[in-house]
Amino acid sequence: MVRDIRTSPRGLIAPLKQTELAALRDLQEGRLLALPSEYHARLFDLELVAEVDGQIAVTALGRERLVSDR
């Protein structure tokens, strides 16, 4: 049997806790200036946030995730 080696957009399909999603939404809306340390590594790993000019910003994939989870 042939293995499926395609990579999926992990940031869209990875399960997020409601608190992680809320932190991502708050960051996007400007209500959160820094990510809590417990979410920082996971959201960076999923490429939902990135550091831009020394600040953490929601990526295009992160914005797409926020729209799909509404």
Side-chain angles (χ1 to χ4, degrees), residues 2-64:
V2 177
R3 283 186 355 176
D4 184 6
I5 58 171
R6 293 177 290 177
T7 57
S8 299
R10 293 181 39 215
L12 291 178
I13 62 172
L16 287 180
K17 296 176 186 174
Q18 289 299 314
T19 53
E20 292 171 328
L21 193 57
L24 185 63
R25 186 170 291 117
D26 287 347
L27 184 64
Q28 171 66 24
E29 294 174 357
R31 292 184 294 210
L32 188 64
L33 299 177
L35 276 175
S37 60
E38 61 267 18
Y39 311 136
H40 191 272
R42 178 156 165 76
L43 294 178
F44 268 97
D45 183 50
L46 294 174
E47 298 177 359
L48 299 175
V49 295
E51 190 168 333
V52 178
D53 297 329
Q55 294 184 338
I56 297 173
V58 178
T59 63
L61 184 61
R63 289 188 296 276
E64 190 175 340

